[in-house]
C-alpha cells in the first residue's frame, strides 16, 4: 500500500503558521503538564495504551484545552466556532493542519502530542492520525508508509543518548523526528534521514512546531544519503529492527534477512564517526542454535571502536512473532490469514535456526586505542533513565583502566560512588554472611558480589589513601600476607571501577 492512501500532510514550508499554531497551543496549556492536570493520571495513562474513552469523558466541556485535546489527540471533529476561539483556523486550514468537515466542523490532519523536553521544554510530536503510540499495544495499521509518534523504544533511545555538545549529529531513520529534536539541543548541525519521504515531512513539522531549528533532511536507506566525506560526533538510530519474513511495514520491518539490517547499521557506523564520537542504536538480534549470541554481537563491532552492548530482553520465536503480528493488527482479522502469517514467521526462524530474539542497546565510541574494549552483557533489570551520563562515564572508565596496569591501579586513589549500599546475605542468625553484595541505586542499578576484602576495601575508599595502602591495612587486620593480597585484589578493583562502584580521585 503506497503513501498515496494516507491523508495529505500539512505544508512543511510554512514556518510562520507553525509558529502561530505553537503559540496558540502553549497559550491554551496544551502541554504535557496541562494534559495531566486536565485529564487526571488514569485517563492520561490510558492514552499511552491507545485507550481514548477516559479522555473523551474528561473533555466534554468547552474550554480551549478540551477543544485542542479532542481535535489533535482524540481526532474528533470539532465545531468551527469553538476552534476559532483557540486557533488561527483559516491559516491552519490553508496550510493543511486542519481540514473542513461537513458544513461547520474542522478536523486535524495529523496527531499532535505534547512532549516534555529534558529541561522542561514544551515540545510537540507530530505523527499520522491514530499512530501516536506504537509497540506492543499496537496501532493496528497496515499502511506501508505510516509514521508513528513516540513509543517506548523512542524514549529509551533518547534516554541513553550521550548529550555532550557536538558540531554534527546524524539521526538515521528519523521517523517522527524525536531523536533529531533532542539532538538539536546540543548539536550545531543535525542531519536526519529516512527511507520514507513522509517521515522526513513529519520530522520537519515536529521540529517547526516545537520551535527547534530545521534539520538537514535526506531521503534514503541507512547511510546511503550520507556523503563519503561526512563524519559525525553523534549518530543515533531507532531503526526498523523487527526481524520478519518480508517488509510489509516501513516503520518497523528492516527488509533484510534476519538481523542483517542492524548488523549493517552497526558495522557501517565506524567509518562515519569522528574520533571520540558516539553511535547509539536500538536493535534486535538473533539467538542462533549452536552459536553464542555474545560472540555474534562482538563480530558486528567495527574496527577502531569501543563498544558497550546491553541485552535488555529475550523472547522465544513464538512470543516474538505474536508481538509483531498484534502490532500490525493481524490478530483482529481473518483467522486463516493470521495463522498463515504466523506460520511464515516460524518458517523463517526455523530456516535460520533461530531459537530466540534479543533486544537491547548498542553504543559505539570511536577510539584511537590499539586494544578496543568490547563489553557485551545481559541486564534485564530496572534502570534509572536518563542514562546518557552513565553511558559516557562507562567509556571514561574504559579509558582509565586501559591506561593503567596493576601497579598504577594500586597507586591510585578511589572513592565509593554515591548511593551505593552494602547488603549481607545469609541465613538468619548465622555468624558470617554467605556473601556480601554491593548495590547501586542510580544509573544501571547494578549489584555485584564481593568477598570480605572487597567489601572492606570499598567501604574505606574515600579518596584519602591509595588502593595499595588500604590493602596493606586490611592485610594487617586479617592476618594475610600483604604481598599476596596486593597480587590477587587488582582484578576485583578493576571490576568495581568498571561497573561504577568506585570512582577514581584526582
Amino acid at each position: 500500500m503506497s503513501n498515496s492512501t494516507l491523508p495529505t500532510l500539512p505544508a512543511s514550508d510554512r514556518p510562520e503558521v507553525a509558529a502561530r499554531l505553537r503559540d496558540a497551543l502553549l497559550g491554551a496549556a496544551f502541554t504535557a503538564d496541562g494534559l495531566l492536570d486536565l485529564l487526571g493520571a488514569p485517563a492520561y495513562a490510558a492514552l499511552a495504551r491507545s485507550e481514548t474513552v477516559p479522555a473523551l469523558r474528561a473533555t466534554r466541556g468547552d474550554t480551549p484545552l478540551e477543544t485542542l485535546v479532542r481535535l489533535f489527540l482524540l481526532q474528533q471533529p470539532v465545531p468551527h466556532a469553538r476552534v476559532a476561539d483557540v486557533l488561527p483556523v483559516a491559516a491552519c486550514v490553508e496550510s493543511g493542519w486542519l481540514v473542513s468537515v461537513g458544513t461547520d466542523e474542522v478536523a486535524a490532519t495529523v496527531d499532535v502530542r505534547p512532549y516534555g523536553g529534558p529541561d522542561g521544554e514544551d515540545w510537540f510530536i507530530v505523527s499520522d492520525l491514530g499512530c501516536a503510540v506504537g509497540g506492543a499495544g499496537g496501532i493496528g495499521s497496515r499502511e506501508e508508509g505510516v509514521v508513528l509518534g513516540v513509543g517506548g523504544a523512542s524514549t529509551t533511545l533518547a534516554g541513553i543518548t550521550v548529550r555532550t555538545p557536538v558540531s554534527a549529529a546524524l539521526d538515521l531513520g528519523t521517523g517522527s523526528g524525536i531523536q533529531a529534536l533532542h539532538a538539536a539541543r546540543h548539536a550545531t548541525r543535525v542531519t536526519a534521514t529516512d527511507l520514507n519521504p513522509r517521515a522526513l515531512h513529519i520530522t520537519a513539522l515536529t521540529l517547526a512546531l516545537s520551535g527547534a531549528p530545521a534539520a538537514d533532511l535526506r531521503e534514503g536507506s541507512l547511510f546511503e544519503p550520507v556523503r563519503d566525506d561526512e563524519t559525525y560526533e553523534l549518530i543515533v538510530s531507532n531503526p526498523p529492527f523487527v526481524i520478519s519474513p518480508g517488509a510489509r511495514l516501513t516503520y518497523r520491518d528492516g527488509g533484510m534477512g534476519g538481523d542483517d539490517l542492524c548488523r549493517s547499521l552497526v558495522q557501517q557506523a565506524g567509518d562515519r564517526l569522528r574520533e571520540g564520537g558516539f553511535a547509539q542504536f536500538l536493535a534486535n538480534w538473533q539467538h542462533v542454535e549452536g552459536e553464542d549470541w555474545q560472540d555474534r554481537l562482538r563480530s558486528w563491532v567495527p574496527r577502531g571502536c569501543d563498544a558497550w552492548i546491553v541485552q535488555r530482553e529475550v523472547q522465544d520465536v513464538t512470543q516474538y512473532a505474536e508481538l509483531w503480528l498484534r502490532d500490525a493488527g493481524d490478530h483482529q482479522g481473518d483467522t486463516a490469514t493470521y495463522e498463515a502469517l504466523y506460520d511464515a514467521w516460524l518458517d523463517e526462524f526455523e530456516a535460520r535456526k533461530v531459537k530466540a530474539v534479543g533486544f537491547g542497546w548498542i553504543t559505539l565510541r570511536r577510539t584511537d586505542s590499539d586494544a578496543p574494549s568490547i563489553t557485551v552483557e545481559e541486564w534485564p533489570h530496572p534502570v534509572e533513565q536518563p542514562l546518557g551520563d552513565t553511558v559516557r562515564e562507562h567509556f571514561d572508565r574504559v579509558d582509565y583502566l586501559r591506561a593503567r596496569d596493576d601497579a598504577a591501579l594500586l597507586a591510585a586513589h578511589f572513592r565509593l560512588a554515591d548511593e551505593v549500599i552494602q547488603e549481607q546475605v545469609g541465613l538468619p542468625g548465622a555468624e558470617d554472611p554467605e556473601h556480601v553484595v554491593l548495590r547501586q541505586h542510580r544509573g544501571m542499578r547494578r549489584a555485584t558480589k564481593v568477598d570480605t576484602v572487597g567489601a572492606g576495601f570499598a567501604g574505606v575508599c574515600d579518596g584519602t589513601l591509595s588502593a595499595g595502602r588500604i590493602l596493606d591495612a586490611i592485610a594487617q587486620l586479617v592476618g594475610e600476607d600483604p604481598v599476596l593480597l596486593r597480587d590477587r585484589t587488582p582484578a576485583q578493583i578493576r571490576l568495581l571501577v568498571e561497573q561504577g562502584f568506585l570512582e577514581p580521585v584526582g
Side-chain angles (χ1 to χ4, degrees):
M1 194 174 294
S2 69
N3 288 0
S4 62
T5 64
L6 294 167
T8 301
L9 294 172
S12 59
D13 58 352
R14 297 287 302 276
E16 74 286 355
V17 178
R20 291 177 64 190
L21 178 55
R22 172 178 171 78
D23 289 343
L25 296 177
L26 294 177
F30 187 71
T31 63
D33 289 341
L35 287 185
L36 183 58
D37 289 342
L38 171 68
L39 301 178
Y44 189 76
L47 276 179
R49 303 190 300 269
S50 300
E51 296 290 349
T52 60
V53 172
L56 285 167
R57 292 174 60 85
T59 55
R60 289 180 289 196
D62 58 1
T63 66
L65 181 53
E66 288 170 297
T67 297
L68 294 175
V69 170
R70 281 188 162 259
L71 190 65
F72 286 117
L73 263 66
L74 305 178
Q75 281 97 58
Q76 300 293 309
V78 179
H80 185 288
R82 281 182 58 185
V83 179
D85 289 337
V86 189
L87 301 178
V89 174
C92 288
V93 170
E94 180 190 2
S95 59
W97 289 95
L98 302 176
V99 62
S100 296
V101 178
T103 58
D104 63 351
E105 291 185 318
V106 293
T109 58
V110 288
D111 184 292
V112 175
R113 192 151 301 229
Y115 179 89
D119 290 329
E121 301 94 340
D122 288 315
W123 289 341
F124 299 98
I125 308 301
V126 180
S127 63
D128 273 312
L129 294 173
C131 299
V133 179
I139 59 168
S141 174
R142 295 177 175 82
E143 295 281 7
E144 177 186 334
V146 72
V147 179
L148 300 190
V150 176
S154 301
T155 55
T156 294
L157 179 59
I160 68 172
T161 299
V162 176
R163 297 297 175 192
T164 52
V166 297
S167 61
L170 173 64
D171 175 17
L172 285 176
T174 187
S176 62
I178 180 58
Q179 308 306 329
L181 182 57
H182 275 278
R185 295 177 58 251
H186 61 103
T188 304
R189 176 173 58 88
V190 177
T191 300
T193 73
D194 205 290
L195 182 64
N196 182 4
R198 188 176 183 86
L200 297 176
H201 191 138
I202 283 181
T203 291
L205 298 175
T206 289
L207 294 173
L209 197 57
S210 298
D216 178 5
L217 303 176
R218 304 183 191 178
E219 183 180 344
S221 177
L222 301 182
F223 289 98
E224 288 176 1
V226 180
R227 297 192 304 271
D228 291 342
D229 61 344
E230 288 183 299
T231 56
Y232 301 86
E233 291 143 294
L234 176 66
I235 300 172
V236 293
S237 183
N238 176 18
F241 53 66
V242 176
I243 300 170
S244 60
R248 289 192 300 153
L249 300 174
T250 303
Y251 70 84
R252 68 166 209 194
D253 298 324
M256 298 185 185
D259 53 16
D260 282 353
L261 182 135
C262 291
R263 176 186 56 79
S264 297
L265 184 62
V266 174
Q267 290 181 336
Q268 294 174 24
D271 292 336
R272 302 298 184 178
L273 279 177
R274 298 177 187 174
E275 187 65 35
F278 289 91
Q280 299 186 260
F281 314 106
L282 300 185
N284 276 179
W285 44 78
Q286 299 172 148
H287 285 229
V288 179
E289 183 179 353
E291 177 181 280
D292 187 314
W293 68 270
Q294 293 183 325
D295 289 342
R296 181 182 189 85
L297 289 172
R298 286 189 186 96
S299 72
W300 290 9
V301 178
R303 293 182 61 184
C305 287
D306 293 327
W308 183 21
I309 302 173
V310 181
Q311 180 167 272
R312 295 287 290 157
E313 184 180 0
V314 181
Q315 291 184 320
D316 67 49
V317 292
T318 59
Q319 292 173 310
Y320 190 81
E322 290 162 13
L323 169 67
W324 295 109
L325 287 168
R326 285 183 170 85
D327 173 79
D330 293 316
H331 63 302
Q332 298 173 341
D334 176 68
T335 300
T337 301
Y338 173 78
E339 291 176 351
L341 290 169
Y342 200 151
D343 259 334
W345 283 69
L346 297 185
D347 285 345
E348 178 80 3
F349 286 133
E350 185 177 344
R352 295 179 178 275
K353 299 183 178 180
V354 176
K355 299 301 181 184
V357 177
F359 168 82
W361 319 325
I362 298 177
T363 299
L364 307 177
R365 185 190 59 167
R366 190 76 188 177
T367 179
D368 59 1
S369 172
D370 295 330
S373 167
I374 301 176
T375 300
V376 184
E377 62 177 320
E378 185 166 18
W379 190 253
H381 310 294
V383 298
E384 181 189 48
Q385 285 275 34
L387 283 168
D389 287 345
T390 300
V391 172
R392 176 182 51 78
E393 290 162 0
H394 167 87
F395 289 96
D396 289 345
R397 293 192 295 269
V398 165
D399 286 342
Y400 178 87
L401 293 171
R402 187 161 46 198
R404 287 164 175 80
D405 60 15
D406 286 354
L409 206 63
L410 292 174
H413 294 237
F414 301 97
R415 62 177 292 273
L416 188 65
D418 294 335
E419 297 187 42
V420 173
I421 64 170
Q422 175 179 305
E423 300 174 354
Q424 297 189 164
V425 181
L427 293 173
E431 183 175 347
D432 297 311
E434 293 180 19
H435 57 263
V436 179
V437 174
L438 298 182
R439 187 179 301 278
Q440 300 169 349
H441 282 265
R442 297 174 57 190
M444 293 292 288
R445 295 179 175 171
R446 293 187 183 278
T448 188
K449 290 182 182 179
V450 292
D451 58 20
T452 54
V453 170
F457 179 87
V460 174
C461 282
D462 62 1
T464 304
L465 299 176
S466 70
R469 290 187 62 186
I470 293 174
L471 290 178
D472 291 343
I474 292 175
Q476 187 174 5
L477 284 173
V478 300
E480 187 169 341
D481 186 331
V483 175
L484 294 178
L485 191 61
R486 279 174 172 254
D487 283 344
R488 70 177 176 85
T489 307
Q492 190 169 191
I493 297 175
R494 284 186 182 277
L495 179 64
L496 293 176
V497 173
E498 179 185 341
Q499 294 190 344
F501 290 95
L502 293 179
E503 299 174 347
V505 174

